[in-house]
């Protein structure tokens, strides 16, 4: 059974693993662009992900890959129209991957319960108040700059501390706007304005983010840093590396894992968790 929204928001306390399946209804996402723009293909993929263990379906209509251009809210909504209402009935919690309050509002009207905002509410100031007024939950993610330019010379003095401080600040802004910490999820933003060493430090230091008192989400799936470590240029050949990153992040305190390949991640995390439980017994 997929986790309920309450179980997702409590996962840092219970240590339940929550799997978030990625569904991009975009022509240009970095690993699956163009595959799921057709509503029937999108619905099939969503149903497959739920059958393979997805607790959350994260639907996005705008690529945020490095160098990408923004997509207008109207265009995002027209990509989502034929898809979101169908997906909301599959049994998993639906999350909308957008920085736009108008798109988020449309998704909430279609049954979404989580707004996954890679800008943590900095790109559209109406998005946090929207989540607050609609009793929705939010993912607050760290990103350095904007997708168009974020990979040009990212620099940090202490990446884990800076990301932690940014997320704490955004949690306080959310609380002031009426969205309690208990409805927020934090995310270090793997690959968003980060070099290889930054991504590795953040995955290794994910336990520090768990200290913020919210579930921690990580999204290493198929990303470039895995290609850099494994020499796999093709994002679709980064599954083994993705699994290693997910298992290590889970072990260090992340409970929500955002992936494209549900079956493999689900099996790997079950085995890792069984070993972890045997160690504690
Ligand atoms: N990564 C991507 C998109 N949204 N959201 C959160 N919270 N965390 C992430 O790490 C994250 C995210 C990028 O991956 P993908 O959706 O596969 O690609 P694209 O942005 O090209 O659609």
């Amino acid at each position: 059974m997929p986790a309920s929204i309450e179980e997702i928001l409590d996962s840092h306390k219970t240590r339940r693993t929550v799997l978030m399946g990625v569904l991009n209804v975009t022509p240009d996402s970095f690993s699956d662009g163009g595959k799921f723009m057709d509503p029937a293909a999108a619905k099939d993929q969503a149903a497959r992900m739920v059958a393979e263990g997805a607790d959350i379906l994260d639907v996005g209509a705008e690529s945020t890959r490095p160098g990408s251009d923004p997509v207008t809210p109207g265009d995002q909504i027209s990509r989502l129209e034929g898809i979101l209402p169908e997906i909301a009935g599959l049994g998993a919690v639906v999350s909308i991957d957008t920085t736009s309050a108008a798109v988020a509002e449309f998704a909430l009207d279609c049954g979404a319960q989580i707004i996954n905002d890679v800008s943590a509410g900095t790109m559209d100031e109406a998005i946090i108040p929207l989540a607050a007024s609609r009793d929705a939950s939010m993912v607050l993610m760290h990103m350095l700059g904007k997708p168009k330019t974020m990979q040009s010379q990212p620099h940090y003095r202490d990446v884990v501390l800076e990301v932690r401080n940014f997320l704490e600040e955004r949690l306080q802004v959310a609380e002031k706007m009426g969205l309690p910490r208990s409805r927020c999820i934090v995310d270090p933003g793997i690959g968003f304005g980060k070099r290889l060493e930054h991504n590795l430090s953040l995955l290794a230091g994910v336990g520090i983010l768990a200290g913020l008192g919210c579930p921690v989400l990580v999204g290493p799936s198929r990303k470039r840093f895995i290609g850099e470590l494994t020499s796999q240029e093709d994002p679709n050949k980064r599954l083994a590396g993705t699994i290693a990153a997910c298992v290590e992040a889970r072990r260090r305190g992340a409970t929500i894992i955002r992936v494209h390949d549900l079956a493999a991640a689900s099996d790997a995390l079950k085995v890792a968790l069984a070993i972890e439980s045997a160690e504690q017994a």
Side-chain angles (χ1 to χ4, degrees):
M1 270 271 284
S4 65
I5 186 68
E6 291 78 20
E7 288 168 329
I8 293 165
L9 293 171
D10 264 359
S11 60
H12 59 304
K13 297 180 192 150
T14 60
R15 300 282 295 138
R16 175 178 178 144
T17 306
V18 175
L19 286 179
M20 177 186 249
V22 181
L23 184 65
N24 287 316
V25 292
T26 55
D28 57 343
S29 286
F30 78 97
S31 76
D32 57 359
K35 276 174 81 178
F36 307 117
M37 292 202 70
D38 167 53
K43 196 181 167 201
D44 282 356
Q45 173 66 0
R48 187 174 317 120
M49 289 197 289
V50 174
E52 291 177 353
D55 298 287
I56 306 172
L57 292 169
D58 187 38
V59 188
E62 174 183 44
S63 172
T64 48
R65 73 183 194 289
S68 59
D69 286 312
V71 178
T72 65
D75 286 347
Q76 289 183 56
I77 290 172
S78 52
R79 289 176 185 176
L80 294 164
E81 251 160 10
I83 291 172
L84 266 185
E86 300 266 351
I87 284 171
L90 291 172
V93 166
V94 173
S95 151
I96 178 70
D97 188 349
T98 191
T99 56
S100 150
V103 176
E105 187 164 27
F106 172 77
L108 297 180
D109 289 343
C110 296
Q113 291 176 274
I114 300 177
I115 302 170
N116 173 20
D117 182 349
V118 298
S119 82
T122 62
M123 283 194 189
D124 185 337
E125 60 187 24
I127 202 163
I128 295 176
L130 170 76
S133 70
R134 296 286 299 266
D135 276 341
S137 302
M138 262 193 93
V139 177
L140 301 173
M141 196 196 83
H142 176 273
M143 167 166 60
L144 195 68
K146 295 208 161 95
K148 189 84 189 159
T149 51
M150 64 191 178
Q151 285 306 110
S152 57
Q153 310 274 316
H155 177 77
Y156 302 86
R157 286 185 61 196
D158 181 334
V159 68
V160 179
L161 194 69
E162 285 169 50
V163 167
R164 186 216 164 273
N165 290 348
F166 169 84
L167 292 172
E168 172 59 31
E169 199 184 295
R170 297 310 297 166
L171 284 166
Q172 288 181 18
V173 168
E175 282 172 327
K176 283 204 188 91
M177 290 179 167
L179 184 69
R181 199 172 282 246
S182 57
R183 288 224 308 280
C184 294
I185 293 164
V186 292
D187 182 340
I190 299 301
F192 285 82
K194 281 116 191 163
R195 281 204 282 261
L196 172 62
E197 65 268 29
H198 303 137
N199 291 313
L200 295 176
S201 297
L202 286 165
L203 288 166
V206 95
I208 293 172
L209 305 182
L212 293 169
C214 303
V216 179
L217 185 160
V218 289
S221 193
R222 302 181 182 171
K223 284 186 179 165
R224 185 180 306 174
F225 82 100
I226 293 172
E228 288 176 63
L229 292 168
T230 58
S231 308
Q232 297 290 0
E233 273 299 309
D234 178 353
N236 290 297
K237 294 202 171 139
R238 296 176 185 162
L239 177 57
T242 295
I243 297 296
C246 294
V247 167
E248 286 300 314
R250 168 70 185 69
R251 197 159 70 85
R252 289 169 161 79
T255 53
I256 310 181
I257 312 291
R258 183 181 185 275
V259 282
H260 301 82
D261 305 283
L262 274 294
S266 172
D267 283 358
L269 287 161
K270 276 183 195 151
V271 173
L273 203 65
I275 297 171
E276 193 180 296
S277 313
E279 191 180 37
Q280 286 159 2

